[in-house]
């Protein structure tokens, strides 16, 4: 059957072949290809998903955060919480000056606060889970108590990603038990106490550059895992677009992402998982040279 040129032109004009950039493709949900990495992630066999630029990391990330949360919750009892989103990278860039002044240990503190806050905002305070969590007030109270003792502010109502970053940075600035200050003139160095609750880890066992938040993470993670266990859920904290958050190949990017990888060890239980999507060239860049302590713990659950 022959068709007219005009009809053929209309058919071709309405034909959708998808976007050249998979992460922006409106057909991604219905036309996705479930690769071996997809299967590994779905089965919770991997936490670190590296790949070359354009290999489909963000497309895979979008499958889980945009299209699969309901299915993961209903069929697998997994709650998907996510931090960095498309077009949200400018929020991180807005705090460039503060990030540039931070050490790698400061970034460990920052990421710990950031992910715990995401868990609080997107799970415990999420109205979707209100009825499910209602019978477990004691477990929620235990988490909030650990949250407060860690020095993280507990605001009423839901907060935006920008607000989460802002208060995470504020807590990082206050975590050090003392601040050393050398006043003008030859009068020596003074130490100023910041007045926070003392860390569970004895100060004499720590240096000024040690991260402080991990000393609180055991209590926070334990209370969160207890709550998740009572409602028979698991929580995945997913983060992507890390190549867009900090100035490329900068010292800040290296410190920030090394701190992020170090944070993996505190979010690796059966109930709470941190899922990181990262370009493989960036991964190699941040672990090369000076080396990376306990790298095998990071690569143990890394996809091919």
């Amino acid at each position: 059957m022959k068709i007219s040129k005009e009809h053929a032109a209309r058919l071709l004009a309405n034909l959708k072949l998808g976007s050249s950039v998979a992460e922006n493709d409106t057909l991604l949900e219905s036309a996705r290809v479930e690769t071996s990495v997809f299967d590994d992630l779905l089965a919770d066999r991997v936490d670190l998903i590296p790949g070359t630029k354009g290999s489909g990391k963000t497309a895979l990330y979008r499958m889980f955060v945009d299209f699969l949360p309901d299915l993961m919750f209903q069929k697998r009892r997994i709650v998907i919480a996510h931090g960095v989103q498309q077009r949200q990278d400018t929020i991180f860039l807005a705090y460039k000056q503060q990030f540039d002044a931070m050490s790698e240990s400061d970034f460990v503190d920052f990421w710990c606060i950031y992910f715990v806050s995401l868990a609080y905002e997107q799970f415990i305070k999420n109205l979707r889970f209100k009825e499910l969590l209602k019978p477990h007030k004691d477990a929620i109270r235990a988490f909030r108590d650990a949250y407060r003792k860690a020095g993280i502010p507990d605001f009423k109502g839901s907060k935006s990603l920008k607000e989460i970053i802002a208060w995470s940075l504020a807590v990082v600035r206050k975590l050090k038990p003392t601040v050393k200050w050398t006043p003008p003139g030859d009068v020596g160095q003074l130490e100023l106490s910041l007045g926070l609750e003392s860390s569970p880890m004895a100060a004499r066992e720590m240096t000024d550059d040690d991260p402080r938040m991990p000393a609180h993470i055991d209590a926070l993670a334990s209370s969160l895992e207890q709550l998740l266990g009572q409602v028979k859920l698991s929580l995945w904290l997913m983060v992507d677009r890390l190549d867009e958050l900090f100035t490329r190949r900068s010292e800040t990017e290296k410190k920030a992402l090394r701190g992020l990888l170090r944070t993996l060890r505190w979010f690796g239980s059966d109930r709470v998982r941190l899922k990181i999507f990262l370009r493989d060239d960036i991964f190699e860049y941040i672990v090369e040279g000076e080396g990376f302590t306990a790298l095998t713990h990071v690569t143990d659950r890394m996809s091919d």
Side-chain angles (χ1 to χ4, degrees):
M1 175 182 173
K2 291 184 178 181
I3 61 175
S4 66
K5 291 182 179 180
E6 291 78 7
H7 188 199
R10 286 195 298 271
L11 289 174
L12 290 172
N14 293 324
L15 184 63
K16 293 184 178 181
L17 297 176
S19 171
S20 59
V21 181
E23 65 191 74
N24 299 328
D25 203 328
T26 57
L27 301 176
L28 184 60
E29 180 178 15
S30 58
R32 66 178 183 262
V33 177
E34 297 181 357
T35 63
S36 60
V37 180
F38 175 92
D39 292 336
D40 285 340
L41 183 56
L42 187 66
D44 193 24
R45 289 191 288 264
V46 296
D47 295 327
L48 178 60
I49 301 92
T52 58
K53 183 176 177 61
S55 62
K57 296 184 309 303
T58 298
L60 180 62
Y61 172 85
R62 274 198 63 205
M63 290 181 199
F64 280 86
V65 303
D66 290 345
F67 308 131
L68 296 178
D70 289 341
L71 182 65
M72 296 292 286
F73 177 68
Q74 294 166 7
K75 300 295 185 182
R76 294 179 176 266
R77 304 294 292 173
I78 294 172
V79 175
I80 303 290
H82 50 91
V84 184
Q85 303 174 22
Q86 191 175 9
R87 307 286 178 254
Q88 295 268 24
D89 50 280
T90 53
I91 296 175
F92 273 76
L93 294 176
Y95 295 100
K96 181 181 183 301
Q97 184 176 356
Q98 290 92 325
F99 285 129
D100 286 346
M102 289 166 58
S103 68
E104 184 177 319
S105 293
D106 289 334
F107 274 109
V108 172
D109 287 330
F110 169 79
W111 290 117
C112 285
I113 299 163
Y114 178 72
F115 288 121
V116 166
S117 299
L118 282 182
Y120 192 21
E121 291 293 313
Q122 297 189 20
F123 172 54
I124 295 176
K125 294 171 70 173
N126 192 328
L127 293 179
R128 178 183 182 184
F129 307 112
K130 183 178 180 180
E131 292 303 315
L132 180 66
L133 296 177
K134 186 178 291 185
H136 306 282
K137 294 180 179 179
D138 289 343
I140 293 174
R141 189 179 300 112
F143 175 84
R144 285 177 170 160
D145 186 52
Y147 198 79
R148 178 187 60 79
K149 288 180 178 178
I152 310 174
D154 182 2
F155 298 106
K156 292 183 178 179
S158 61
K159 296 299 174 183
S160 67
L161 178 61
K162 186 174 183 179
E163 290 170 315
I164 292 174
I165 295 173
W167 86 52
S168 297
L169 287 169
V171 176
V172 169
R173 287 196 297 269
K174 295 178 180 179
L175 275 174
K176 303 299 183 183
T178 58
V179 173
K180 293 182 178 179
W181 174 59
T182 303
D186 188 19
V187 295
Q189 191 175 68
L190 304 178
E191 290 189 352
L192 306 177
S193 173
L194 294 175
L196 280 182
E197 288 193 32
S198 59
S199 166
M201 189 179 298
R204 56 184 169 76
E205 298 176 356
M206 305 177 71
T207 68
D208 287 342
D209 194 44
D210 284 332
R212 260 58 185 182
M213 189 51 58
H216 297 278
I217 284 296
D218 283 344
L220 282 162
S222 177
S223 58
L224 180 58
E225 288 163 16
Q226 183 177 7
L227 174 60
L228 287 163
Q230 289 181 13
V231 294
K232 296 179 173 57
L233 289 175
S234 295
L235 175 66
W236 287 4
L237 301 158
M238 307 185 80
V239 59
D240 182 40
R241 308 186 77 87
L242 292 164
D243 58 322
E244 300 175 8
L245 301 186
F246 308 99
T247 304
R248 285 293 292 116
R249 298 285 177 173
S250 66
E251 190 63 24
T252 298
E253 180 188 57
K254 190 170 188 177
K255 290 184 294 186
L257 299 186
R258 284 173 64 90
L260 175 60
L261 293 183
R262 288 173 60 187
T263 306
L264 265 171
R265 61 182 292 189
W266 290 289
F267 296 91
S269 71
D270 291 337
R271 292 291 179 185
V272 183
R273 289 286 186 191
L274 179 56
K275 306 291 185 182
I276 299 173
F277 296 73
L278 183 64
R279 275 175 44 180
D280 53 4
D281 61 317
I282 297 178
F283 175 75
E284 293 170 2
Y285 165 67
I286 63 178
V287 301
E288 69 182 5
E290 60 201 80
F292 193 96
T293 303
L295 182 60
T296 53
H297 292 287
V298 173
T299 58
D300 181 55
R301 287 174 55 90
M302 183 170 72
S303 68
D304 294 335

